[in-house]
Amino acid sequence: MPTENQYTDSMSVHKITRKILAGALTAIGFAACTVEEPDLYGTPLLYGPLPVDSIVSDTTSQPFRGACIADDNQDIANENEMTNEHP
Amino acid sequence: MSIRKRIGQELAHQLYRNIEREHPLRQLFWECTLRCNVHCRHCGSDCKRVAGVEDMPGEDFLRVLDSIAKRCNPHEVFVILTGGEPLVRDDLEDICSEIYRRGFPWGLVTNGLYLTPERFASLRKAGMHTVALSLDGLEANHNWLRGHKDSFRMTSQAIDLLVNSPLRFDCVTCVNRRNYSELPAIRDFLIDKGVAEWRIYTIFPMGRAKNDPDMRLTGEEFRGVFEFIKQTRKQGLIKASYGCEGYLGEYEAEVRDHFFHCQAGITVGSVMADGAIAACASIRSDYNQGNIYEDDFMDVWEHRYQPHRTFAWRRTGDCADCRHWRYCRGNGMHLRDNEGRTILCHIKRLQETAPL
């Protein structure tokens, strides 16, 4: 596991391999779970994709957008957009 | 097993090996309290209303997140608050706002008793993304298991709140001898409520459930759970899934979307109430890997967790010559005792009965 900026290394060998394997799984009709996809969460207490407009699907450049944030909490969301700069 | 499924299983195996090599942290459980407002018969944490371990100060957990954010994209690490009952903490919203402000999506595992409309609104304001809500039967059985006479009514109200919100949530049911026969009725109840996703567990022998005969299904019932999930998935009115635990042989990819893979210590880490750094919160403390009060979480994540990321050591006892080893690899880590022996083999339990 890279120690810094792991998520900016968007095309690591591992990732490419995962994409190929996931594609093959999907092609024969099975759900493919890779760590790039939010549908990995087959774990004990929560699983499944986050709400559709959450940030997990794009991990490289999008500002943090909590899908379920209430309207009157928009200031927190705005603050995130301004301050949450990721390396 | 069909050729298609065999190929799928092998592809998934290769995929999982790949993920294990990189072991990217994707889910972080925080056992934010051991206090609880109910007294469940099957509790794996053996929680109490007044816990022996004090609640971890929020700032201690936030320091863990700061360590993670230096090395991982916080957007990719889903924080899950568990317990005890997380909602017994009065400072939850304050802490969760800080979790959210740091860029981590977060969700909650709750029994729903304290999920009032006011609390729900404040949690949403703090950035809550998902909820897993426990429902262990219809009224009599749920209340019996939870040890609380109003539990079902309040959980039912919590379901109404969640159904009428845009949050993604699921209901989680632990099947035991008492509620097994009412699984179809629970399903109908959830469908009527508008619940879209339902996760079903069989109870494993740990915590209070270990010595309770009401918790252990017969072999026929055990298989019956999987047949029920298969049938429910085919029906298509609610997305039922078996929980993540256990390699299921013939039922692989039939009762869950994915093939079995225990992700504890591979993509899943935990911070326990006493600061212990663990993998899945259900795993025995013998397998803890450090403590946040002594170690940096990410150093531990990157350099320890060998028991979770290696498999040869598990190939003893019944696993030694098991023909399912390649894809099971010793079942879930939470099903290992302090000496590394398996305490429950799903395949063996299924083999107690022929298909219904």
Side-chain angles (χ1 to χ4, degrees):
Chain A
M1 185 183 197
T3 54
E4 295 290 340
N5 300 344
Q6 176 215 345
Y7 52 90
T8 60
D9 181 17
S10 58
M11 292 305 283
S12 70
V13 173
H14 285 312
K15 257 184 192 176
I16 294 167
T17 307
R18 279 201 290 274
K19 278 183 185 293
I20 293 168
L21 290 167
L25 263 170
T26 308
I28 59 170
F30 291 108
C33 86
T34 72
V35 288
E36 280 71 42
E37 302 294 329
D39 200 21
L40 178 67
Y41 303 120
T43 47
L45 300 170
L46 276 175
Y47 74 102
L50 300 173
V52 286
D53 56 339
S54 79
I55 40 65
V56 173
S57 58
D58 183 345
T59 57
T60 54
S61 60
Q62 291 297 308
F64 187 46
R65 291 177 57 242
C68 303
I69 194 162
D71 290 339
D72 56 353
N73 203 31
Q74 194 58 44
D75 53 341
I76 295 181
N78 291 337
E79 186 183 335
N80 272 309
E81 291 191 5
M82 288 185 291
T83 61
N84 197 9
E85 294 176 359
H86 303 293
Chain B
M1 190 182 285
S2 69
I3 292 174
R4 184 182 76 92
K5 196 191 276 189
R6 281 174 195 266
I7 294 170
Q9 191 159 248
E10 180 58 27
L11 286 169
H13 174 70
Q14 296 301 329
L15 181 62
Y16 297 155
R17 295 294 297 270
N18 171 300
I19 294 170
E20 287 154 15
R21 282 191 284 271
E22 202 168 19
H23 51 80
L25 180 65
R26 287 293 181 268
Q27 277 192 300
L28 180 68
F29 288 90
W30 178 31
E31 191 180 56
C32 64
T33 183
L34 279 178
R35 291 181 292 140
C36 194
N37 50 1
V38 291
H39 190 80
C40 302
R41 298 177 70 99
H42 63 317
C43 183
S45 304
D46 198 18
C47 305
K48 298 175 175 61
R49 283 183 177 79
V50 180
V53 178
E54 285 188 18
D55 294 355
M56 180 186 291
E59 54 267 30
D60 295 353
F61 180 67
L62 292 171
R63 272 198 298 277
V64 172
L65 296 188
D66 291 337
S67 159
I68 292 170
K70 288 177 186 165
R71 307 198 200 186
C72 303
N73 181 351
H75 298 355
E76 291 185 337
V77 181
F78 198 97
V79 176
I80 301 140
L81 278 67
T82 181
E85 167 55 44
L87 295 181
V88 301
R89 283 190 74 138
D90 295 332
D91 58 353
L92 204 63
E93 284 84 343
D94 293 338
I95 300 168
C96 291
S97 293
E98 283 300 311
I99 293 172
Y100 183 66
R101 196 179 66 78
R102 283 164 165 78
F104 291 85
W106 67 271
L108 185 69
V109 182
T110 178
N111 59 39
L113 261 69
Y114 289 172
L115 199 61
T116 60
E118 297 75 23
R119 197 81 201 267
F120 185 57
S122 65
L123 289 164
R124 285 193 59 204
K125 281 184 182 178
M128 182 167 68
H129 274 56
T130 63
V131 176
L133 185 66
S134 303
L135 182 83
D136 291 320
L138 298 182
E139 185 151 16
N141 279 330
H142 179 82
N143 290 346
W144 168 77
L145 196 77
R146 298 264 148 193
H148 191 296
K149 66 181 176 57
D150 295 321
S151 181
F152 180 82
R153 180 177 58 80
M154 294 157 88
T155 302
S156 180
Q157 288 172 359
I159 291 174
D160 293 335
L161 267 180
L162 289 161
V163 164
N164 293 305
S165 82
L167 278 187
R168 178 153 190 179
F169 79 100
D170 67 357
C171 288
V172 181
T173 299
C174 292
V175 184
N176 56 71
R177 294 218 65 195
R178 287 209 187 191
N179 67 11
Y180 171 76
S181 61
E182 68 179 15
L183 281 173
I186 301 170
R187 174 181 60 195
D188 294 344
F189 171 79
L190 293 174
I191 292 169
D192 285 347
K193 283 275 188 191
V195 174
E197 297 185 49
W198 183 24
R199 206 158 13 129
I200 294 172
Y201 280 90
T202 46
I203 295 169
F204 55 89
M206 197 176 179
R208 287 182 202 139
K210 188 177 176 182
N211 300 313
D212 189 339
D214 280 333
M215 296 296 112
R216 184 180 160 86
L217 298 174
T218 66
E220 199 168 75
E221 290 165 343
F222 191 76
R223 181 177 287 276
V225 169
F226 301 110
E227 289 295 324
F228 171 79
I229 296 172
K230 260 178 77 173
Q231 180 205 0
T232 300
R233 287 170 74 93
K234 197 173 284 183
Q235 194 182 34
L237 298 175
I238 187 169
K239 185 179 178 184
S241 301
Y242 187 59
C244 65
E245 73 165 24
Y247 176 74
L248 302 174
E250 69 201 78
Y251 290 105
E252 280 298 311
E254 302 280 348
V255 297
R256 289 183 289 233
D257 290 352
H258 302 119
F259 291 97
F260 170 70
H261 184 214
C262 177
Q263 296 160 44
I266 295 163
T267 61
V268 179
S270 294
V271 174
M272 309 304 284
D274 60 358
I277 297 173
C280 158
S282 295
I283 296 174
R284 295 178 61 91
S285 59
D286 306 87
Y287 298 99
N288 288 350
Q289 298 296 301
N291 192 293
I292 62 162
Y293 295 110
E294 297 165 5
D295 307 292
D296 177 79
F297 181 89
M298 282 309 293
D299 284 346
V300 172
W301 181 258
E302 288 179 18
H303 301 299
R304 298 187 196 171
Y305 285 97
Q306 284 81 10
H308 308 79
R309 296 170 188 168
T310 59
F311 298 88
W313 69 270
R314 303 184 205 182
R315 199 165 188 183
T316 57
D318 290 338
C319 294
D321 53 1
C322 177
R323 68 184 180 89
H324 296 282
W325 169 260
R326 182 172 178 80
Y327 303 118
C328 174
R329 292 193 296 170
N331 221 353
M333 265 297 285
H334 65 296
L335 301 173
R336 293 271 155 181
D337 69 10
N338 58 328
E339 293 180 5
R341 295 172 300 210
T342 186
I343 58 172
L344 173 65
C345 170
H346 287 66
I347 290 294
K348 275 181 75 175
R349 288 236 65 196
L350 286 168
Q351 285 171 345
E352 291 173 19
T353 55
L356 293 173

Coordinates of all heavy atoms in Angstrom, one line a residue, chain B residues 228-269:
Chain B
F228 N -34.8 -19.8 2.2 CA -35.7 -18.6 2.4 C -35.1 -17.4 1.6 O -35.9 -16.7 0.9 CB -35.9 -18.3 3.8 CG -36.7 -17.1 4.1 CD1 -38.1 -17.0 3.9 CD2 -36.1 -15.9 4.4 CE1 -38.8 -15.9 4.1 CE2 -36.8 -14.7 4.6 CZ -38.1 -14.7 4.5
I229 N -33.9 -17.1 1.8 CA -33.3 -16.0 1.2 C -33.3 -16.1 -0.3 O -33.6 -15.2 -1.0 CB -31.8 -15.7 1.7 CG1 -31.8 -15.4 3.2 CG2 -31.2 -14.6 0.9 CD1 -30.4 -15.4 3.8
K230 N -33.0 -17.3 -0.8 CA -33.0 -17.5 -2.2 C -34.4 -17.3 -2.8 O -34.6 -16.6 -3.8 CB -32.7 -19.0 -2.5 CG -31.2 -19.2 -3.0 CD -31.0 -20.7 -3.2 CE -31.5 -21.2 -4.5 NZ -31.1 -22.6 -4.7
Q231 N -35.4 -17.8 -2.1 CA -36.8 -17.6 -2.5 C -37.2 -16.1 -2.5 O -37.8 -15.7 -3.4 CB -37.7 -18.5 -1.6 CG -39.1 -18.4 -1.9 CD -40.0 -18.7 -0.7 OE1 -39.5 -18.9 0.4 NE2 -41.3 -18.7 -0.9
T232 N -36.8 -15.5 -1.5 CA -37.1 -14.0 -1.3 C -36.4 -13.2 -2.4 O -37.1 -12.3 -3.0 CB -36.7 -13.5 0.1 OG1 -37.4 -14.3 1.0 CG2 -37.1 -12.1 0.2
R233 N -35.2 -13.5 -2.7 CA -34.5 -12.8 -3.8 C -35.2 -13.0 -5.1 O -35.3 -12.1 -6.0 CB -33.0 -13.2 -3.9 CG -32.2 -12.7 -2.7 CD -30.8 -13.3 -2.6 NE -29.9 -12.8 -3.6 CZ -29.1 -11.8 -3.5 NH1 -29.0 -11.1 -2.3 NH2 -28.3 -11.4 -4.4
K234 N -35.6 -14.3 -5.3 CA -36.3 -14.6 -6.6 C -37.6 -13.8 -6.7 O -38.0 -13.3 -7.7 CB -36.6 -16.1 -6.6 CG -36.9 -16.6 -8.0 CD -36.9 -18.1 -8.1 CE -35.6 -18.8 -8.0 NZ -35.6 -20.2 -8.1
Q235 N -38.3 -13.7 -5.6 CA -39.6 -13.0 -5.5 C -39.4 -11.5 -5.9 O -40.2 -11.0 -6.6 CB -40.1 -13.1 -4.1 CG -41.6 -12.7 -3.9 CD -41.9 -12.8 -2.4 OE1 -41.1 -12.6 -1.5 NE2 -43.2 -13.2 -2.2
G236 N -38.3 -11.0 -5.5 CA -37.9 -9.6 -5.9 C -38.6 -8.4 -5.3 O -38.5 -7.3 -5.8
L237 N -39.3 -8.7 -4.2 CA -40.0 -7.6 -3.6 C -39.2 -6.8 -2.5 O -39.5 -5.7 -2.1 CB -41.3 -8.1 -2.9 CG -42.4 -8.7 -3.9 CD1 -43.5 -9.3 -3.2 CD2 -42.8 -7.6 -4.9
I238 N -38.2 -7.5 -2.1 CA -37.2 -6.9 -1.1 C -35.9 -7.5 -1.4 O -35.8 -8.7 -1.7 CB -37.7 -7.1 0.3 CG1 -36.8 -6.3 1.3 CG2 -37.7 -8.5 0.7 CD1 -37.3 -6.2 2.7
K239 N -34.8 -6.7 -1.3 CA -33.5 -7.3 -1.6 C -33.0 -7.9 -0.3 O -32.5 -7.3 0.6 CB -32.6 -6.3 -2.1 CG -31.2 -6.9 -2.5 CD -30.3 -5.8 -3.0 CE -28.9 -6.4 -3.3 NZ -28.0 -5.4 -3.7
A240 N -33.2 -9.2 -0.2 CA -32.7 -10.0 1.0 C -31.3 -10.5 0.7 O -31.0 -10.9 -0.4 CB -33.6 -11.1 1.3
S241 N -30.5 -10.4 1.7 CA -29.1 -11.0 1.6 C -28.7 -11.6 2.9 O -29.0 -11.1 3.9 CB -28.1 -9.8 1.2 OG -28.4 -9.2 0.1
Y242 N -27.9 -12.6 2.8 CA -27.2 -13.2 3.9 C -26.1 -12.2 4.3 O -25.5 -11.7 3.4 CB -26.7 -14.6 3.7 CG -26.2 -15.3 4.9 CD1 -27.0 -15.5 6.0 CD2 -24.9 -15.8 5.0 CE1 -26.6 -16.1 7.1 CE2 -24.4 -16.4 6.1 CZ -25.3 -16.6 7.2 OH -24.8 -17.2 8.3
G243 N -25.8 -12.1 5.6 CA -24.7 -11.3 6.0 C -23.4 -11.7 5.4 O -23.3 -12.7 4.7
C244 N -22.3 -11.0 5.8 CA -21.1 -11.3 5.1 C -20.4 -12.6 5.5 O -19.5 -13.0 4.9 CB -20.1 -10.1 5.3 SG -19.7 -10.0 7.1
E245 N -20.8 -13.1 6.6 CA -20.0 -14.2 7.2 C -20.2 -15.5 6.5 O -21.3 -15.8 6.0 CB -20.3 -14.4 8.7 CG -21.7 -15.0 8.9 CD -21.8 -15.5 10.4 OE1 -21.1 -15.0 11.2 OE2 -22.7 -16.4 10.6
G246 N -19.2 -16.4 6.4 CA -19.4 -17.7 6.1 C -19.3 -18.1 4.6 O -20.0 -17.5 3.8
Y247 N -18.5 -19.0 4.3 CA -18.5 -19.6 2.9 C -19.6 -20.6 2.8 O -19.8 -21.4 3.7 CB -17.1 -20.3 2.6 CG -17.1 -21.0 1.3 CD1 -17.0 -20.2 0.1 CD2 -17.2 -22.4 1.2 CE1 -17.0 -20.8 -1.1 CE2 -17.3 -23.0 -0.1 CZ -17.1 -22.2 -1.2 OH -17.2 -22.8 -2.4
L248 N -20.4 -20.5 1.8 CA -21.7 -21.2 1.7 C -21.7 -22.3 0.6 O -22.8 -22.8 0.4 CB -22.8 -20.2 1.6 CG -22.9 -19.1 2.7 CD1 -24.0 -18.1 2.3 CD2 -23.2 -19.8 4.0
G249 N -20.6 -22.6 0.0 CA -20.6 -23.6 -1.0 C -21.7 -23.4 -2.1 O -21.7 -22.5 -2.8
E250 N -22.7 -24.3 -2.1 CA -23.7 -24.3 -3.2 C -24.5 -23.0 -3.1 O -25.1 -22.6 -4.1 CB -24.6 -25.5 -3.0 CG -25.5 -25.4 -1.7 CD -26.1 -26.7 -1.2 OE1 -25.3 -27.5 -0.6 OE2 -27.2 -26.9 -1.5
Y251 N -24.6 -22.3 -2.0 CA -25.3 -21.1 -1.9 C -24.6 -19.8 -2.3 O -25.1 -18.7 -2.2 CB -25.9 -20.9 -0.5 CG -27.0 -21.9 -0.2 CD1 -26.8 -23.0 0.6 CD2 -28.3 -21.8 -0.8 CE1 -27.8 -24.0 0.9 CE2 -29.3 -22.7 -0.5 CZ -29.0 -23.8 0.3 OH -30.0 -24.7 0.6
E252 N -23.3 -20.0 -2.6 CA -22.5 -18.8 -3.0 C -23.1 -18.2 -4.2 O -23.5 -18.8 -5.1 CB -21.0 -19.3 -3.3 CG -20.2 -19.5 -2.1 CD -20.0 -18.2 -1.2 OE1 -19.7 -17.2 -1.8 OE2 -20.2 -18.3 0.0
A253 N -23.2 -16.8 -4.1 CA -23.7 -16.0 -5.2 C -25.2 -16.3 -5.4 O -25.8 -15.8 -6.4 CB -23.0 -16.2 -6.5
E254 N -25.8 -17.0 -4.5 CA -27.3 -17.2 -4.5 C -28.0 -16.4 -3.5 O -29.1 -15.9 -3.7 CB -27.6 -18.7 -4.3 CG -27.0 -19.7 -5.2 CD -27.7 -19.8 -6.6 OE1 -28.8 -19.2 -6.6 OE2 -27.2 -20.3 -7.5
V255 N -27.4 -16.2 -2.3 CA -28.0 -15.5 -1.2 C -27.3 -14.2 -0.9 O -27.7 -13.5 0.0 CB -28.0 -16.4 0.1 CG1 -28.9 -17.6 -0.2 CG2 -26.6 -16.8 0.5
R256 N -26.3 -13.9 -1.6 CA -25.6 -12.6 -1.5 C -25.2 -12.2 -2.9 O -25.1 -13.0 -3.8 CB -24.3 -12.7 -0.7 CG -24.4 -12.9 0.7 CD -23.0 -12.9 1.4 NE -22.3 -14.2 1.1 CZ -21.8 -15.0 2.0 NH1 -21.9 -14.7 3.3 NH2 -21.1 -16.0 1.7
D257 N -25.0 -10.9 -3.1 CA -24.6 -10.5 -4.5 C -23.2 -11.0 -4.8 O -22.9 -11.3 -6.0 CB -24.5 -8.9 -4.5 CG -25.9 -8.3 -4.4 OD1 -26.9 -9.1 -4.5 OD2 -26.0 -7.1 -4.3
H258 N -22.3 -11.1 -3.8 CA -20.9 -11.5 -4.1 C -20.6 -12.8 -3.6 O -21.2 -13.4 -2.7 CB -20.0 -10.4 -3.5 CG -20.3 -9.0 -4.0 ND1 -20.7 -8.0 -3.1 CD2 -20.3 -8.5 -5.2 CE1 -20.9 -6.9 -3.8 NE2 -20.7 -7.2 -5.1
F259 N -19.5 -13.3 -4.1 CA -18.9 -14.5 -3.5 C -18.2 -14.2 -2.2 O -17.8 -13.0 -2.0 CB -17.8 -15.1 -4.5 CG -18.4 -15.7 -5.7 CD1 -18.5 -15.0 -6.9 CD2 -19.0 -17.0 -5.7 CE1 -19.0 -15.5 -8.1 CE2 -19.5 -17.5 -6.9 CZ -19.6 -16.8 -8.0
F260 N -18.2 -15.2 -1.3 CA -17.7 -14.9 0.0 C -16.2 -14.4 0.0 O -15.4 -14.9 -0.7 CB -17.7 -16.2 0.8 CG -17.0 -16.2 2.1 CD1 -17.5 -15.4 3.2 CD2 -15.8 -16.8 2.3 CE1 -16.8 -15.3 4.4 CE2 -15.1 -16.7 3.5 CZ -15.6 -16.0 4.6
H261 N -16.0 -13.4 0.9 CA -14.7 -12.9 1.2 C -14.7 -12.2 2.5 O -15.4 -11.2 2.7 CB -14.3 -11.9 0.0 CG -12.9 -11.4 0.2 ND1 -12.5 -10.1 -0.2 CD2 -11.7 -12.0 0.6 CE1 -11.2 -10.0 0.0 NE2 -10.7 -11.1 0.5
C262 N -13.9 -12.7 3.5 CA -13.8 -12.1 4.7 C -12.9 -10.9 4.6 O -11.7 -11.1 4.3 CB -13.4 -13.0 5.8 SG -13.2 -12.2 7.4
Q263 N -13.4 -9.7 4.7 CA -12.5 -8.5 4.4 C -11.9 -7.9 5.7 O -11.3 -6.8 5.6 CB -13.4 -7.5 3.7 CG -13.8 -8.0 2.3 CD -15.0 -7.2 1.8 OE1 -15.1 -6.0 1.9 NE2 -16.0 -7.9 1.3
A264 N -12.1 -8.6 6.8 CA -11.6 -8.1 8.1 C -10.1 -8.0 8.0 O -9.4 -8.9 7.6 CB -11.9 -9.0 9.2
G265 N -9.6 -6.8 8.2 CA -8.1 -6.6 8.2 C -7.6 -6.4 6.8 O -6.4 -6.2 6.6
I266 N -8.5 -6.5 5.8 CA -8.1 -6.3 4.4 C -8.6 -5.0 3.8 O -7.9 -4.2 3.3 CB -8.5 -7.6 3.6 CG1 -7.8 -8.8 4.1 CG2 -8.3 -7.3 2.1 CD1 -8.4 -10.1 3.7
T267 N -9.9 -4.8 4.0 CA -10.5 -3.5 3.7 C -11.2 -2.9 4.9 O -11.7 -1.8 4.9 CB -11.4 -3.6 2.5 OG1 -12.5 -4.4 2.9 CG2 -10.8 -4.1 1.3
V268 N -11.3 -3.7 6.0 CA -12.1 -3.3 7.1 C -11.2 -3.3 8.4 O -10.6 -4.2 8.7 CB -13.2 -4.3 7.4 CG1 -14.0 -4.0 8.6 CG2 -14.2 -4.4 6.2
G269 N -11.2 -2.1 9.0 CA -10.6 -2.0 10.3 C -11.5 -1.5 11.4 O -12.6 -1.0 11.1

